[in-house]
Amino acid sequence: MKMKYANVCVAVLLAVLAMAGCSEADDQVPDGMARVEVHLSAPYQRATRATGDWLDPISSEERIHDYWVVFVNGSNIVEELVAGSCGTEGKEEDSFRFLLPPGTYKVYAFANLDFSALGITKGAALPDLSNEKLATTNGWTNDIPMSNNVNGQTVKVEEVENQSFQVELVRAMAKLQLDFTNPTQHQLDILGYEIYPLTKTNVSLLEPAEPADIVTDESEFYRVDLTKTPNTPITLSANGGTGSTWAYVNETNASATSTVNQYSIRLKVRRKGENTQSDGVEEFRYGFTVNSSTVVDGVSGFDYIRRNDWIRLPITFGDWSFRVETLPFPPIAGFQSRVVSADALSITFNTGGYIFLRAMFRKNDDPEGVWRSFDDSDVTFVLPGTYTGNTTTGPIQSIDSETGTGIILSGDLQIFEEGQFFSQLPSGDIVGQLTNDERYGQVTVTLKVKLEDLDYQFNYNIIKTN
């Protein structure tokens, strides 16, 4: 029995030694090759406005699922192509090892997309990817496609032990989040929102080198109705209620789609006590703009939304509501410009002539339907100072100290008659004259207002079209 037991032990020991021998042989690196370890991750460090949550994603669609890493040699030949999967839930990072000849390589990485459509094959030349597009859209609901920089990532492989490289993926979509706070005395329901401009066309496969390279041939008002399935209106309780909403959106260079270099965001809101029927809240009641002077997460400038950004815009509601209306009367011996459309943020004309605008506002404790203007006896305001400004380049300013009311113009001023720009009347109304020729364009009028203890800035677009 003892002899039989000893024979079994010897057999097991020989098997273990044989396995160890095979493992040691497998670990040998062939001559002319080097072992490389790659750590693949999505937290792209050059992102301008990416928060810690974005770099440590909690939603599965923000993680890496199926991925491909391509090593391209100096002759533009695909030396190695590694594919992997992180499962349906995805991972924030993954690692793998393989052998490569020493040399300098360009590394391209891709995830969560149709890789076969790119035509990349090991041993063949790398196709030109500079014009490849991804059919993304605002409001993306699938796993977020990822790639890296348009120039790839340069790595140098040497015949040394324990060499590893960090290869970073860049999400091709941005996450735009609106964070609401309601300090007012009334409950608020957020029913919908819209953002303009956002890119409507397909986005580049690889990240553009600069924001100016973002293709923005077409743009759109991106609208979300929170009253329709699967969305739900956001209820903000009175005296400090909070809530948020967000969407995955395409990267957009606002300066390429708007003469005033800004984004406009409008909200459809219902206050407690207002008509709760849908036909009573169809209009977008609140609007604001963010532009090059806006500071988000400590970063100045909001001229573009770039892929891999997670931008959080804090929105606090007040007890005042604002709108701008056009006055229906022409001046003596003149005519009023013909209004094509008007909404909470802009007004469009298609003829020349005088335009009269009146800023209207109401305190939310006022009776329903009651709106005030600057010449109401119960409203205090500071009249504007002397009109100043360059008549061709702007900005035009008419402000009596930083606490007063007045106007600031920016944008394409050529839509006005020479020397006839906006002026503010003692009533607070604004008057200007458009040209009656083929000049078209857009001007942003910024109304600076002081009401009681409220300092308010309201941006309004004046557009002349054919």
Side-chain angles (χ1 to χ4, degrees), residues 321-429:
S321 298
F322 288 81
R323 65 183 174 89
V324 174
E325 68 176 21
T326 57
L327 302 184
F329 54 85
I332 297 175
F335 63 94
Q336 183 190 16
S337 297
R338 185 176 303 162
V339 177
V340 177
S341 64
D343 53 37
L345 277 183
S346 61
I347 186 166
T348 301
F349 299 87
N350 67 356
T351 61
Y354 287 91
I355 54 176
F356 285 79
L357 305 175
R358 173 170 291 177
M360 305 293 290
F361 44 91
R362 63 182 299 268
K363 202 162 188 178
N364 296 307
D365 288 330
D366 291 343
E368 289 293 321
V370 173
W371 288 84
R372 316 183 195 188
S373 61
F374 284 117
D375 56 359
D376 288 348
S377 59
D378 56 350
V379 176
T380 59
F381 68 99
V382 181
L383 287 174
T386 304
Y387 177 84
T388 61
N390 185 293
T391 59
T392 58
T393 60
I396 311 301
Q397 298 193 34
S398 180
I399 303 294
D400 182 11
S401 79
E402 294 182 356
T403 60
T405 62
I407 57 176
I408 299 176
L409 270 66
S410 62
D412 184 1
L413 304 180
Q414 294 301 316
I415 66 175
F416 289 99
E417 294 284 4
E418 193 70 24
Q420 290 288 333
F421 301 102
F422 274 121
S423 299
Q424 190 170 17
L425 305 178
S427 63
D429 298 340

Side-chain angles (χ1 to χ4, degrees), residues 430-444:
I430 298 170
V431 60
Q433 186 176 6
L434 294 174
T435 59
N436 196 22
D437 56 25
E438 296 303 315
R439 286 186 281 178
Y440 310 112
Q442 176 174 304
V443 167
T444 295

Side-chain angles (χ1 to χ4, degrees), residues 94-371:
D94 200 17
S95 298
F96 53 88
R97 303 173 72 194
F98 60 98
L99 300 176
L100 267 181
T104 300
Y105 296 89
K106 289 279 191 178
V107 181
Y108 295 87
F110 310 91
N112 307 343
L113 47 78
D114 182 7
F115 183 76
S116 62
L118 302 181
I120 299 176
T121 305
K122 181 177 179 179
L126 181 72
D128 182 7
L129 304 176
S130 59
N131 293 319
E132 288 286 341
K133 303 293 182 182
L134 293 172
T136 59
T137 183
N138 300 311
W140 183 262
T141 58
N142 301 322
D143 299 332
I144 299 179
M146 305 178 188
S147 64
N148 58 350
N149 190 270
V150 67
N151 296 316
Q153 178 178 335
T154 302
V155 299
K156 186 175 182 179
V157 176
E158 300 177 303
E159 292 188 69
V160 297
E161 296 290 337
N162 302 321
Q163 60 183 319
S164 63
F165 303 105
Q166 296 285 341
V167 175
E168 293 183 327
L169 285 159
V170 186
R171 297 178 184 87
M173 309 289 292
K175 189 172 185 177
L176 184 60
Q177 180 168 321
L178 308 178
D179 293 326
F180 304 109
T181 302
N182 176 28
T184 73
Q185 304 299 311
H186 299 272
Q187 174 182 305
L188 293 177
D189 295 326
I190 311 297
L191 305 178
Y193 64 93
E194 70 178 23
I195 307 166
Y196 179 84
L198 287 180
T199 305
K200 188 177 181 180
T201 54
N202 297 339
V203 302
S204 299
L205 168 69
L206 300 174
E207 183 198 27
E210 297 294 338
D213 298 332
I214 298 174
V215 178
T216 50
D217 294 335
E218 297 181 27
S219 58
E220 66 176 348
F221 278 99
Y222 172 59
R223 294 182 174 90
V224 176
D225 188 343
L226 295 174
T227 65
K228 294 183 178 180
T229 305
N231 300 312
T232 303
I234 300 170
T235 298
L236 307 177
S237 58
N239 303 309
T242 60
S244 65
T245 184
W246 56 266
Y248 299 127
V249 299
N250 293 347
E251 59 186 345
T252 301
N253 181 0
S255 62
T257 56
S258 172
T259 59
V260 291
N261 207 27
Q262 67 183 20
Y263 294 92
S264 298
I265 300 176
R266 297 195 289 184
L267 306 172
K268 187 188 293 185
V269 177
R270 178 175 59 215
R271 290 182 181 272
K272 184 179 181 180
E274 291 185 348
N275 187 345
T276 58
Q277 301 301 314
S278 60
D279 58 0
V281 289
E282 283 301 308
E283 64 176 346
F284 283 83
R285 297 290 300 277
Y286 299 88
F288 62 96
T289 59
V290 285
N291 51 39
S292 57
S293 62
T294 303
V295 178
V296 180
D297 288 336
V299 179
S300 298
F302 202 87
D303 297 339
Y304 63 90
I305 298 173
R306 196 165 187 167
R307 64 178 65 193
N308 207 57
D309 279 352
W310 184 344
I311 302 172
R312 292 179 172 178
L313 291 175
I315 300 172
T316 301
F317 291 92
D319 277 318
W320 291 92
S321 298
F322 288 81
R323 65 183 174 89
V324 174
E325 68 176 21
T326 57
L327 302 184
F329 54 85
I332 297 175
F335 63 94
Q336 183 190 16
S337 297
R338 185 176 303 162
V339 177
V340 177
S341 64
D343 53 37
L345 277 183
S346 61
I347 186 166
T348 301
F349 299 87
N350 67 356
T351 61
Y354 287 91
I355 54 176
F356 285 79
L357 305 175
R358 173 170 291 177
M360 305 293 290
F361 44 91
R362 63 182 299 268
K363 202 162 188 178
N364 296 307
D365 288 330
D366 291 343
E368 289 293 321
V370 173
W371 288 84

Side-chain angles (χ1 to χ4, degrees), residues 20-36 97-100 159-161:
C22 290
S23 175
E24 183 177 354
D26 288 343
D27 198 47
Q28 296 297 317
V29 178
D31 292 338
M33 301 293 286
R35 188 177 300 282
V36 174
R97 303 173 72 194
F98 60 98
L99 300 176
L100 267 181
E159 292 188 69
V160 297
E161 296 290 337

